[in-house]
Amino acid sequence: MKYVKKGLVYLLFAIPVVTQLYPLLWLFLYSLKSNEEILGGSFFSLPKQFLWGNYKEAYENGNYLQYLGNSVLVTVSTMVFVILLASMVAYAISRFRWKYGNAVMLVFLMGMMIPMQATLLPLMLIFKNLKFGAFHVLDTPLSLILPYIAFQLPIAIFILSGFMRSIPGEIEESAFVDGASIYRIFRSIILPISAPPMMTVCILTFINIWNEYIMAATFISSERWKTLPFGIYSFVSQYSVNYGDIGAFLIMGALPVIIIYFVLSERITKGMVAGAVKG
């Protein structure tokens, strides 16, 4: 009976592992096949010949470095502003005693219920008419950064405010007695203490923004500002599609996320637990 229970436990753990790893393995094998093998229906078989040249073609013909730089620019800019804004809002909601604190928190949490697809048309109309002097917002990194910040703020505020509520008030009281201002307390005390959930917010924001496709395909049309998920169209022409190169490009695009997630997965768990339990 003991071995049966162990077998059931291993089986329960094996199911999510297989379901998560199998798509990556399938995509990796897909990236090493020729168009003939892929179109021939051999989706689940090993490649007859491992075409490592698909990765070279994806790197050279897919403008990989340019799209990688655009993705880094958009993702890092979003992360910086999300952390900056979310930490200030979370501090005001969780540490200040004011009448509408819970109402403001509820408004931000309602933002988590708005589907991204429902905002595409209104945002397109806004960005089309929005410009700063001669600078048009549409078809620039700013047209991605602004909505990305808006969609990532609710979960970031939720995590950070839950953690900040757990910080003892005596820390701030002693700092006030010593003559520290609110800004000094926030900068020198609250932010360092909140490092674990802030790391979690950074990683979750990175994963969500790095893989985002819908807004990038809607607001970006020029080759200059395409991001990695949108860059796969470089291998689609009017009369042919290089499926193997697309698979290789997707693997190279997902590689930074996979590496960062496995390296920092423990920090994600600790930050989520800190924000949930202590809050």
Side-chain angles (χ1 to χ4, degrees):
M1 191 66 182
K2 179 180 178 182
Y3 294 105
V4 173
K5 290 182 178 179
K6 278 188 176 181
L8 291 175
V9 171
Y10 288 139
L11 179 62
L12 290 175
F13 278 107
I15 291 174
V17 169
V18 171
T19 55
Q20 293 296 319
L21 293 181
Y22 177 74
L24 290 175
L25 177 61
W26 178 86
L27 181 61
F28 177 69
L29 295 177
Y30 182 95
S31 68
L32 297 174
K33 294 180 179 180
S34 63
N35 278 3
E36 290 74 15
E37 288 184 84
I38 295 172
L39 297 176
S42 58
F43 295 106
F44 306 103
S45 62
L46 292 174
K48 297 178 181 178
Q49 181 180 359
F50 289 85
L51 301 178
W52 297 103
N54 288 343
Y55 284 86
K56 180 181 179 182
E57 293 178 6
Y59 177 82
E60 295 176 350
N61 301 331
N63 297 324
Y64 178 76
L65 289 181
Q66 179 181 343
Y67 298 157
L68 177 66
N70 293 337
S71 291
V72 170
L73 172 64
V74 171
T75 304
V76 172
S77 299
T78 303
M79 288 170 54
V80 171
F81 281 102
V82 166
I83 284 294
L84 180 63
L85 297 175
S87 59
M88 292 190 292
V89 172
Y91 180 63
I93 292 175
S94 60
R95 309 304 293 179
F96 293 175
R97 297 178 182 177
W98 51 304
K99 184 177 180 181
Y100 300 106
N102 292 331
V104 172
M105 183 65 179
L106 181 61
V107 170
F108 278 106
L109 292 181
M110 288 175 62
M112 299 171 64
M113 302 181 228
I114 301 175
M116 183 180 294
Q117 294 83 352
T119 66
L120 293 178
L121 181 57
L123 287 175
M124 172 64 78
L125 296 176
I126 292 173
F127 291 152
K128 185 177 181 180
N129 298 306
L130 184 62
K131 61 180 181 179
F132 302 97
F135 177 77
H136 291 266
V137 173
L138 189 64
D139 197 20
T140 66
L142 195 59
S143 63
L144 296 180
I145 294 172
L146 291 177
Y148 286 166
I149 293 173
F151 276 100
Q152 295 303 314
L153 273 178
I155 185 63
I157 293 172
F158 177 74
I159 294 174
L160 292 177
S161 61
F163 180 84
M164 289 182 182
R165 285 193 180 96
S166 68
I167 300 174
E170 290 79 5
I171 296 177
E172 292 167 283
E173 292 175 1
S174 61
F176 273 123
V177 172
D178 292 337
S181 64
I182 293 177
Y183 304 102
R184 177 67 182 274
I185 294 173
F186 175 72
R187 184 178 68 252
S188 303
I189 298 177
I190 300 299
L191 288 183
I193 293 176
S194 304
M198 288 175 68
M199 179 61 70
T200 299
V201 170
C202 284
I203 297 172
L204 293 178
T205 302
F206 176 85
I207 293 173
N208 291 333
I209 301 305
W210 189 268
N211 295 321
E212 202 282 323
Y213 172 82
I214 296 177
M215 284 194 170
T218 303
F219 301 140
I220 301 297
S221 58
S222 64
E223 289 287 333
R224 179 182 179 186
W225 298 118
K226 283 184 179 179
T227 56
L228 279 176
F230 190 32
I232 59 174
Y233 273 100
S234 302
F235 306 100
V236 179
S237 63
Q238 185 176 0
Y239 301 105
S240 64
V241 179
N242 296 319
Y243 295 103
D245 292 356
I246 290 177
F249 193 84
L250 290 174
I251 287 289
M252 293 192 297
L255 197 58
V257 178
I258 296 172
I259 294 174
I260 288 177
Y261 182 80
F262 278 105
V263 171
L264 302 177
S265 58
E266 186 177 352
R267 291 181 176 270
I268 296 178
T269 305
K270 287 182 178 180
M272 291 296 290
V273 171
V277 176
K278 292 184 180 180

